[in-house]
Amino acid sequence: MRIAFFSAHQFDRQFFDEANRAHDHDIRYLEARLTPVTSSLAAGSPAVCAFVNDDLHGDVLTALHAAGVRLIALRSAGFNHVDLPKALELGLTVARVPAYSPHAVAEHAIAMMLSLNRKIHRAHARVREGNFALDGLLGFDMHRRTVGLVGTGKIGSLVARILAGFGCRLLAYDVAPNPECTGIGVHYLSLEDVWAQSDIVSLHCPLTADTKHMIDGATIAKMKRGVMIINTGRGGLVDTAALIGGLKSGHIGYVGLDVYEEEEQLFFRDLSAQVIQDDVFARLLTFPNVLITAHQAFFTREALQAISAVTLENVSAFEHGRRTGNELQ
Ligand code: NAD
């Protein structure tokens, strides 16, 4: 089946070409991000393959449908960027990759916690400049620290397992508590109590109307002074302006972000020779206690192998009238 593959990067080609040996789809790699303007590039392709920052709002879906597209094959687990009711109305099938490597994201969240705590990003820069002083690099033991997890599904539960190994006290909030987590000593509390008692807060729930800006000025005020906030979930979970306020006042001690509310204007591209136009993001970059990665938590060899294999299997199943269970409707 011909697939219009938006937001294609070199690494996508490498893994999808390899996985496609088992399918023989006609993949048309397009560097362009899917937007209302670029949607016409899908003409002649019954399937579109899209990533997290492709635009799948109602008007784009309508344009894709009119161009002959019948399948949206997401190469992501998250689907908050898709207008599902509109897809249903148009009769478009939307399939995703529900789990590829929850380990990849969980391990990245831990890497951010440890880097911020022990100031590895600053220490690395110092040592390269011949500055071997330790002042300003003081960290804390993870052992016995209280970590609050919001969302304990595939990723959150793995974060809990790793932190249990460090000897952390584990708290969590989830609309559906996970018995596996209770089994390793995670205590489920109200969201209010998780904010109030945690030294480190890590977000692992989906972005929905209920969770948008779950961390805002009011919730930051309930947190411990000096709290560390880690977000590898979705940018929209955090009100960035409120985060900056908390950093400036010193109420927030550390921030680790792999996702950002307005990331589609920035991430997955080399903008190093350009002036950053997003003043909020530019302000975030000025804090010594903020560590940002550009949506790379998923980015391991194992995850990309699984993403390419499952995405192309979703396309093959659609082509042959089968269901994989990865369809969203
Ligand atoms: P999952 O579905 O296995 O787990 C999500 C958990 O969140 C579930 O236990 C669910 O009950 C809980 N939840 C739902 N609504 C909630 C709410 N209002 N409050 C608290 N908890 C709530 O998903 P997962 O595979 O663990 O992924 C979690 C999120 O991580 C995804 O939604 C996605 O946004 C993000 N993610 C990020 C990356 C990355 O590269 N940064 C990669 C993959 C996934």
PDB file of all heavy atoms in Angstrom, residues 290-311:
ATOM      1  N   VAL A 290      17.349  23.860  34.918  1.00  0.00           N
ATOM      2  CA  VAL A 290      16.371  23.311  33.970  1.00  0.00           C
ATOM      3  C   VAL A 290      17.135  22.498  32.929  1.00  0.00           C
ATOM      4  O   VAL A 290      18.132  22.963  32.382  1.00  0.00           O
ATOM      5  CB  VAL A 290      15.579  24.447  33.278  1.00  0.00           C
ATOM      6  CG1 VAL A 290      14.720  23.891  32.144  1.00  0.00           C
ATOM      7  CG2 VAL A 290      14.696  25.176  34.291  1.00  0.00           C
ATOM      8  N   LEU A 291      16.654  21.272  32.701  1.00  0.00           N
ATOM      9  CA  LEU A 291      17.266  20.393  31.701  1.00  0.00           C
ATOM     10  C   LEU A 291      16.186  20.049  30.683  1.00  0.00           C
ATOM     11  O   LEU A 291      15.117  19.558  31.060  1.00  0.00           O
ATOM     12  CB  LEU A 291      17.767  19.127  32.410  1.00  0.00           C
ATOM     13  CG  LEU A 291      18.457  18.060  31.575  1.00  0.00           C
ATOM     14  CD1 LEU A 291      19.716  18.614  30.908  1.00  0.00           C
ATOM     15  CD2 LEU A 291      18.840  16.879  32.476  1.00  0.00           C
ATOM     16  N   ILE A 292      16.472  20.349  29.428  1.00  0.00           N
ATOM     17  CA  ILE A 292      15.464  20.089  28.383  1.00  0.00           C
ATOM     18  C   ILE A 292      16.059  19.148  27.338  1.00  0.00           C
ATOM     19  O   ILE A 292      17.184  19.364  26.883  1.00  0.00           O
ATOM     20  CB  ILE A 292      15.023  21.396  27.695  1.00  0.00           C
ATOM     21  CG1 ILE A 292      14.445  22.373  28.724  1.00  0.00           C
ATOM     22  CG2 ILE A 292      13.980  21.112  26.609  1.00  0.00           C
ATOM     23  CD1 ILE A 292      14.059  23.725  28.155  1.00  0.00           C
ATOM     24  N   THR A 293      15.298  18.124  26.970  1.00  0.00           N
ATOM     25  CA  THR A 293      15.643  17.308  25.809  1.00  0.00           C
ATOM     26  C   THR A 293      14.468  17.424  24.844  1.00  0.00           C
ATOM     27  O   THR A 293      13.336  17.695  25.258  1.00  0.00           O
ATOM     28  CB  THR A 293      15.898  15.832  26.187  1.00  0.00           C
ATOM     29  OG1 THR A 293      14.785  15.339  26.964  1.00  0.00           O
ATOM     30  CG2 THR A 293      17.172  15.690  26.993  1.00  0.00           C
ATOM     31  N   ALA A 294      14.753  17.260  23.559  1.00  0.00           N
ATOM     32  CA  ALA A 294      13.753  17.571  22.523  1.00  0.00           C
ATOM     33  C   ALA A 294      12.942  16.341  22.121  1.00  0.00           C
ATOM     34  O   ALA A 294      13.082  15.804  21.030  1.00  0.00           O
ATOM     35  CB  ALA A 294      14.455  18.189  21.322  1.00  0.00           C
ATOM     36  N   HIS A 295      12.080  15.905  23.041  1.00  0.00           N
ATOM     37  CA  HIS A 295      11.190  14.753  22.812  1.00  0.00           C
ATOM     38  C   HIS A 295      11.989  13.524  22.348  1.00  0.00           C
ATOM     39  O   HIS A 295      11.693  12.938  21.315  1.00  0.00           O
ATOM     40  CB  HIS A 295      10.093  15.112  21.801  1.00  0.00           C
ATOM     41  CG  HIS A 295       8.829  14.304  22.028  1.00  0.00           C
ATOM     42  ND1 HIS A 295       7.566  14.860  21.999  1.00  0.00           N
ATOM     43  CD2 HIS A 295       8.639  12.982  22.298  1.00  0.00           C
ATOM     44  CE1 HIS A 295       6.673  13.915  22.227  1.00  0.00           C
ATOM     45  NE2 HIS A 295       7.303  12.769  22.401  1.00  0.00           N
ATOM     46  N   GLN A 296      12.993  13.164  23.131  1.00  0.00           N
ATOM     47  CA  GLN A 296      13.842  12.036  22.744  1.00  0.00           C
ATOM     48  C   GLN A 296      13.702  10.836  23.683  1.00  0.00           C
ATOM     49  O   GLN A 296      14.419   9.853  23.541  1.00  0.00           O
ATOM     50  CB  GLN A 296      15.317  12.465  22.678  1.00  0.00           C
ATOM     51  CG  GLN A 296      15.975  12.677  24.047  1.00  0.00           C
ATOM     52  CD  GLN A 296      17.480  12.883  23.948  1.00  0.00           C
ATOM     53  OE1 GLN A 296      17.934  13.963  23.628  1.00  0.00           O
ATOM     54  NE2 GLN A 296      18.260  11.847  24.220  1.00  0.00           N
ATOM     55  N   ALA A 297      12.746  10.921  24.644  1.00  0.00           N
ATOM     56  CA  ALA A 297      12.653   9.833  25.624  1.00  0.00           C
ATOM     57  C   ALA A 297      12.398   8.483  24.949  1.00  0.00           C
ATOM     58  O   ALA A 297      12.883   7.453  25.397  1.00  0.00           O
ATOM     59  CB  ALA A 297      11.568  10.135  26.645  1.00  0.00           C
ATOM     60  N   PHE A 298      11.655   8.496  23.850  1.00  0.00           N
ATOM     61  CA  PHE A 298      11.309   7.238  23.163  1.00  0.00           C
ATOM     62  C   PHE A 298      12.469   6.702  22.327  1.00  0.00           C
ATOM     63  O   PHE A 298      12.413   5.578  21.839  1.00  0.00           O
ATOM     64  CB  PHE A 298      10.117   7.474  22.210  1.00  0.00           C
ATOM     65  CG  PHE A 298      10.513   8.233  20.960  1.00  0.00           C
ATOM     66  CD1 PHE A 298      10.758   7.559  19.771  1.00  0.00           C
ATOM     67  CD2 PHE A 298      10.691   9.596  20.998  1.00  0.00           C
ATOM     68  CE1 PHE A 298      11.159   8.253  18.633  1.00  0.00           C
ATOM     69  CE2 PHE A 298      11.092  10.297  19.863  1.00  0.00           C
ATOM     70  CZ  PHE A 298      11.328   9.625  18.688  1.00  0.00           C
ATOM     71  N   PHE A 299      13.523   7.513  22.159  1.00  0.00           N
ATOM     72  CA  PHE A 299      14.488   7.312  21.073  1.00  0.00           C
ATOM     73  C   PHE A 299      15.574   6.302  21.412  1.00  0.00           C
ATOM     74  O   PHE A 299      16.719   6.648  21.683  1.00  0.00           O
ATOM     75  CB  PHE A 299      15.082   8.681  20.740  1.00  0.00           C
ATOM     76  CG  PHE A 299      15.735   8.775  19.392  1.00  0.00           C
ATOM     77  CD1 PHE A 299      15.037   8.451  18.244  1.00  0.00           C
ATOM     78  CD2 PHE A 299      17.042   9.202  19.265  1.00  0.00           C
ATOM     79  CE1 PHE A 299      15.639   8.546  16.994  1.00  0.00           C
ATOM     80  CE2 PHE A 299      17.659   9.301  18.027  1.00  0.00           C
ATOM     81  CZ  PHE A 299      16.952   8.975  16.892  1.00  0.00           C
ATOM     82  N   THR A 300      15.194   5.015  21.410  1.00  0.00           N
ATOM     83  CA  THR A 300      16.194   3.948  21.538  1.00  0.00           C
ATOM     84  C   THR A 300      16.040   3.005  20.344  1.00  0.00           C
ATOM     85  O   THR A 300      14.986   2.971  19.692  1.00  0.00           O
ATOM     86  CB  THR A 300      16.028   3.119  22.833  1.00  0.00           C
ATOM     87  OG1 THR A 300      14.785   2.402  22.770  1.00  0.00           O
ATOM     88  CG2 THR A 300      16.076   3.982  24.081  1.00  0.00           C
ATOM     89  N   ARG A 301      17.073   2.246  20.089  1.00  0.00           N
ATOM     90  CA  ARG A 301      17.062   1.286  18.967  1.00  0.00           C
ATOM     91  C   ARG A 301      15.877   0.329  19.102  1.00  0.00           C
ATOM     92  O   ARG A 301      15.144   0.075  18.162  1.00  0.00           O
ATOM     93  CB  ARG A 301      18.387   0.518  18.992  1.00  0.00           C
ATOM     94  CG  ARG A 301      18.659  -0.312  17.785  1.00  0.00           C
ATOM     95  CD  ARG A 301      20.100  -0.794  17.767  1.00  0.00           C
ATOM     96  NE  ARG A 301      21.047   0.299  17.624  1.00  0.00           N
ATOM     97  CZ  ARG A 301      21.897   0.700  18.576  1.00  0.00           C
ATOM     98  NH1 ARG A 301      21.946   0.094  19.750  1.00  0.00           N
ATOM     99  NH2 ARG A 301      22.722   1.710  18.356  1.00  0.00           N
ATOM    100  N   GLU A 302      15.684  -0.173  20.339  1.00  0.00           N
ATOM    101  CA  GLU A 302      14.626  -1.158  20.559  1.00  0.00           C
ATOM    102  C   GLU A 302      13.258  -0.546  20.277  1.00  0.00           C
ATOM    103  O   GLU A 302      12.384  -1.167  19.685  1.00  0.00           O
ATOM    104  CB  GLU A 302      14.682  -1.665  22.007  1.00  0.00           C
ATOM    105  CG  GLU A 302      15.890  -2.518  22.342  1.00  0.00           C
ATOM    106  CD  GLU A 302      17.189  -1.718  22.543  1.00  0.00           C
ATOM    107  OE1 GLU A 302      17.149  -0.469  22.530  1.00  0.00           O
ATOM    108  OE2 GLU A 302      18.245  -2.356  22.696  1.00  0.00           O
ATOM    109  N   ALA A 303      13.074   0.711  20.713  1.00  0.00           N
ATOM    110  CA  ALA A 303      11.780   1.375  20.506  1.00  0.00           C
ATOM    111  C   ALA A 303      11.527   1.600  19.017  1.00  0.00           C
ATOM    112  O   ALA A 303      10.423   1.341  18.518  1.00  0.00           O
ATOM    113  CB  ALA A 303      11.751   2.708  21.255  1.00  0.00           C
ATOM    114  N   LEU A 304      12.550   2.048  18.283  1.00  0.00           N
ATOM    115  CA  LEU A 304      12.341   2.329  16.855  1.00  0.00           C
ATOM    116  C   LEU A 304      12.081   1.047  16.068  1.00  0.00           C
ATOM    117  O   LEU A 304      11.291   1.037  15.121  1.00  0.00           O
ATOM    118  CB  LEU A 304      13.531   3.098  16.284  1.00  0.00           C
ATOM    119  CG  LEU A 304      13.572   4.563  16.736  1.00  0.00           C
ATOM    120  CD1 LEU A 304      14.815   5.265  16.226  1.00  0.00           C
ATOM    121  CD2 LEU A 304      12.351   5.326  16.262  1.00  0.00           C
ATOM    122  N   GLN A 305      12.726  -0.050  16.473  1.00  0.00           N
ATOM    123  CA  GLN A 305      12.447  -1.335  15.803  1.00  0.00           C
ATOM    124  C   GLN A 305      10.985  -1.720  16.020  1.00  0.00           C
ATOM    125  O   GLN A 305      10.286  -2.120  15.097  1.00  0.00           O
ATOM    126  CB  GLN A 305      13.361  -2.437  16.353  1.00  0.00           C
ATOM    127  CG  GLN A 305      14.728  -2.413  15.703  1.00  0.00           C
ATOM    128  CD  GLN A 305      15.773  -3.216  16.463  1.00  0.00           C
ATOM    129  OE1 GLN A 305      15.552  -3.607  17.615  1.00  0.00           O
ATOM    130  NE2 GLN A 305      16.903  -3.439  15.834  1.00  0.00           N
ATOM    131  N   ALA A 306      10.513  -1.561  17.254  1.00  0.00           N
ATOM    132  CA  ALA A 306       9.128  -1.939  17.566  1.00  0.00           C
ATOM    133  C   ALA A 306       8.138  -0.989  16.869  1.00  0.00           C
ATOM    134  O   ALA A 306       7.134  -1.440  16.313  1.00  0.00           O
ATOM    135  CB  ALA A 306       8.911  -1.920  19.080  1.00  0.00           C
ATOM    136  N   ILE A 307       8.437   0.306  16.887  1.00  0.00           N
ATOM    137  CA  ILE A 307       7.535   1.283  16.252  1.00  0.00           C
ATOM    138  C   ILE A 307       7.380   0.975  14.758  1.00  0.00           C
ATOM    139  O   ILE A 307       6.264   0.938  14.227  1.00  0.00           O
ATOM    140  CB  ILE A 307       8.073   2.727  16.435  1.00  0.00           C
ATOM    141  CG1 ILE A 307       7.917   3.176  17.879  1.00  0.00           C
ATOM    142  CG2 ILE A 307       7.367   3.703  15.498  1.00  0.00           C
ATOM    143  CD1 ILE A 307       8.621   4.500  18.201  1.00  0.00           C
ATOM    144  N   SER A 308       8.496   0.731  14.065  1.00  0.00           N
ATOM    145  CA  SER A 308       8.419   0.495  12.618  1.00  0.00           C
ATOM    146  C   SER A 308       7.690  -0.822  12.330  1.00  0.00           C
ATOM    147  O   SER A 308       6.827  -0.882  11.448  1.00  0.00           O
ATOM    148  CB  SER A 308       9.803   0.532  11.981  1.00  0.00           C
ATOM    149  OG  SER A 308      10.683  -0.320  12.683  1.00  0.00           O
ATOM    150  N   ALA A 309       7.984  -1.863  13.113  1.00  0.00           N
ATOM    151  CA  ALA A 309       7.349  -3.167  12.863  1.00  0.00           C
ATOM    152  C   ALA A 309       5.834  -3.088  13.094  1.00  0.00           C
ATOM    153  O   ALA A 309       5.047  -3.554  12.266  1.00  0.00           O
ATOM    154  CB  ALA A 309       7.966  -4.232  13.770  1.00  0.00           C
ATOM    155  N   VAL A 310       5.422  -2.470  14.201  1.00  0.00           N
ATOM    156  CA  VAL A 310       3.984  -2.432  14.525  1.00  0.00           C
ATOM    157  C   VAL A 310       3.236  -1.495  13.564  1.00  0.00           C
ATOM    158  O   VAL A 310       2.139  -1.811  13.105  1.00  0.00           O
ATOM    159  CB  VAL A 310       3.759  -2.017  16.000  1.00  0.00           C
ATOM    160  CG1 VAL A 310       2.282  -1.841  16.312  1.00  0.00           C
ATOM    161  CG2 VAL A 310       4.383  -3.042  16.937  1.00  0.00           C
ATOM    162  N   THR A 311       3.836  -0.341  13.236  1.00  0.00           N
ATOM    163  CA  THR A 311       3.167   0.594  12.326  1.00  0.00           C
ATOM    164  C   THR A 311       2.904  -0.079  10.977  1.00  0.00           C
ATOM    165  O   THR A 311       1.797   0.014  10.425  1.00  0.00           O
ATOM    166  CB  THR A 311       4.047   1.851  12.105  1.00  0.00           C
ATOM    167  OG1 THR A 311       4.319   2.439  13.369  1.00  0.00           O
ATOM    168  CG2 THR A 311       3.340   2.864  11.225  1.00  0.00           C
TER     169      THR A 311
END
